[in-house]
Amino acid sequence: MNKFAEYNQYLKKLIEAMLINQNMHDAVNLDISDGLLRNYLSKEEIYSAGAFFTGQNLATLVVDSLKQPITSSSVVLDPTCGIGNLLIECSRKLDIEKQLSETLKKWGRVLWGFDIHKTFVESCKLRLIIEALLRGCKLDCSVVEALDYLKNIKLKDVMNVQPDELESVTHLIMNPPFNLWPSPETGIWKKGKVNAAGIVFEHFINLVNLDCCISAVLPDVLRSGSRYENFRSSIAEKISGICEVWGRFNKQADVDVFVLSGFKVENKGNIKWHQKISAAVILADEFNVCIGPLVHYRDPEIGCEYPYLHAKNVINWSEINNIDEKRRFRGRVIAPPFVVVKRTSSPSDLYRAAAAIINVEDKAVAVENHLIVLKPKSGKLQDCIKVMELLASDFVNKYLNERIRLRHLTVNVIKSIPLF
């Protein structure tokens, strides 16, 4: 973070000299802040901080999604403010005074932010000062005095915040870190490591007052990942809100996100995590769906020898009648006919559910766990042909792109595909 401190010193010099030039405009350009970060921080520092800063269009969506407008009587908290992109966008909803000091006094009562990195906190304040100057405020105080007016933007570990510190907060906005943290022992989290964004978001939903207005950028794994079902159930009891799928966060961060906005309520929440499609029959009614039972690195090559199927020897949209590769395996094998779908899948792919029919005559097959198996309950090849045609359709592509924007598919999502 030492190099980023150098950038803050540069911002101070711009302010002191009142250099209203392109560099000052760049300082509050939300679309270049993420690239700017990479000029001063290593990849390791960025990952450790979980620092991916919100671009202009996404920041606009987050702030405009707030169900109550931001006014001079609001208290808006970003508990993971970073260098302040969301707070800058919020400041654009506030009026200015002629003097910088009077503007910052006013903004300082409304705009609250926490971060665990001192350089980020300072940068957030400096950029808000620059934003006010660019909007026409007259510089009438020193940089030190200006920074002090924004005293509610401070160094703080968000997981140590207590409810009494947030009694006056009316609006909660955030783009929390997306890296992995150890799972809290609170009952709703799976063991191991879980997404930090979910931990931070749940923590603050528990802390803020009822009727607090909320808008947050969250990774899609919280909306669609099977490990986060308990998270979704818990949050849905506390928020009345909606999800808006955004897509990939930005060019540097290969993760899809959504915006969750609404109000905190008491045990009567409702969140529409996905679009509901009414279907009398879903894929799970006609097919048994499972992950391939064979885990290559874990299962020893002992037992009977079987045709061995894995993602690399599956040709998309083909009917495979012969598998040359063989492997010994003493686990569960699957008798054809059946369909396999490759688990690795991205919203940018031409087909989300790349599939093939396996119809090896009179031979059970050892199927690796990077494939999802669809075994027709009828045992008929014709049902395999029909479902593969469905998986190749625009309807399924659109359905899966709305339902799950991770870089892999899950059994539950495949099971839920409507059959028309």
Side-chain angles (χ1 to χ4, degrees), residues 1-13 15-16 27 81-84 87-88 113-130 143-144 146-148 150 153-156:
M1 293 289 179
N2 291 334
K3 284 189 176 181
F4 204 81
E6 296 175 8
Y7 177 66
N8 289 345
Q9 292 302 315
Y10 170 67
L11 294 184
K12 289 177 184 178
K13 290 178 181 178
I15 295 168
E16 290 168 346
C81 67
I83 62 172
L87 289 177
I88 288 172
F114 304 152
D115 205 279
I116 60 172
H117 300 290
K118 183 178 179 181
T119 50
F120 284 179
V121 171
E122 185 178 51
S123 188
C124 175
K125 292 183 179 185
L126 290 168
R127 295 173 76 227
L128 282 166
I129 293 167
I130 290 173
V143 173
V144 173
L147 289 169
D148 193 52
L150 299 170
I153 300 172
K154 61 184 72 174
L155 188 68
K156 187 177 284 288

Side-chain angles (χ1 to χ4, degrees), residues 45-169:
E45 286 176 313
I46 292 171
Y47 179 78
S48 176
F52 297 99
F53 298 143
T54 319
Q56 181 62 66
N57 290 340
L58 183 53
T60 299
L61 175 61
V62 171
V63 175
D64 288 351
S65 294
L66 291 166
K67 306 308 178 188
Q68 293 290 344
I70 296 171
T71 68
S72 59
S73 60
S74 302
V75 174
V76 184
L77 170 64
D78 182 351
T80 55
C81 67
I83 62 172
N85 281 16
L86 288 177
L87 289 177
I88 288 172
E89 187 64 18
C90 289
S91 75
R92 293 166 180 170
K93 302 295 182 181
L94 299 171
D95 295 332
I96 62 168
E97 304 296 332
K98 290 183 179 180
Q99 306 294 336
L100 177 65
S101 60
E102 292 304 311
T103 297
L104 295 182
K105 287 177 186 177
K106 182 177 179 180
W107 286 11
R109 291 189 292 268
V110 176
L111 303 176
W112 292 26
F114 304 152
D115 205 279
I116 60 172
H117 300 290
K118 183 178 179 181
T119 50
F120 284 179
V121 171
E122 185 178 51
S123 188
C124 175
K125 292 183 179 185
L126 290 168
R127 295 173 76 227
L128 282 166
I129 293 167
I130 290 173
E131 175 70 19
L133 292 172
L134 290 175
R135 287 178 60 183
C137 293
K138 182 180 179 182
L139 181 63
D140 66 328
C141 60
S142 69
V143 173
V144 173
E145 290 171 322
L147 289 169
D148 193 52
Y149 290 130
L150 299 170
K151 61 183 62 179
N152 287 311
I153 300 172
K154 61 184 72 174
L155 188 68
K156 187 177 284 288
D157 184 340
V158 296
M159 300 310 294
N160 293 331
V161 175
Q162 300 300 313
D164 61 330
E165 299 178 73
L166 306 184
E167 288 179 352
S168 59
V169 172

Side-chain angles (χ1 to χ4, degrees), residues 35-53:
L36 176 72
L37 180 75
R38 284 163 171 73
N39 292 332
Y40 293 92
L41 298 179
S42 67
K43 290 182 179 179
E44 291 75 18
E45 286 176 313
I46 292 171
Y47 179 78
S48 176
F52 297 99
F53 298 143

Side-chain angles (χ1 to χ4, degrees), residues 79 110 113 147 153 158 178 189 192 212 239 289 309 347 364 366 373 383:
V110 176
L147 289 169
I153 300 172
V158 296
F178 295 171
W189 302 101
C212 181
I239 294 179
V289 183
L309 195 69
V373 177
D383 286 346

Side-chain angles (χ1 to χ4, degrees), residues 76 150 184 199-200 210 224 241 255 262-263 338 417:
V76 184
L150 299 170
I199 298 173
V200 173
L210 295 176
S224 55
V255 57
F263 292 96
F338 58 88
I417 294 174

Side-chain angles (χ1 to χ4, degrees), residues 271-290:
I271 297 175
K272 185 180 178 182
W273 297 102
H274 312 287
Q275 293 181 9
K276 300 293 184 182
I277 297 179
S278 178
V281 181
I282 61 174
L283 194 141
D285 294 326
E286 303 291 340
F287 288 79
N288 293 316
V289 183
C290 69

Side-chain angles (χ1 to χ4, degrees), residues 215-255:
S215 187
V217 180
L218 299 171
D220 198 74
V221 68
L222 298 178
R223 187 183 70 99
S224 55
S226 55
R227 279 176 57 83
Y228 298 94
E229 290 178 0
N230 291 338
F231 165 84
R232 291 192 289 273
S233 297
S234 176
I235 293 299
E237 292 178 356
K238 301 167 186 173
I239 294 179
S240 177
I242 60 171
C243 297
E244 185 166 348
V245 173
W246 171 259
R248 183 167 172 169
F249 182 79
N250 62 24
K251 292 180 180 179
Q252 288 74 35
D254 186 20
V255 57

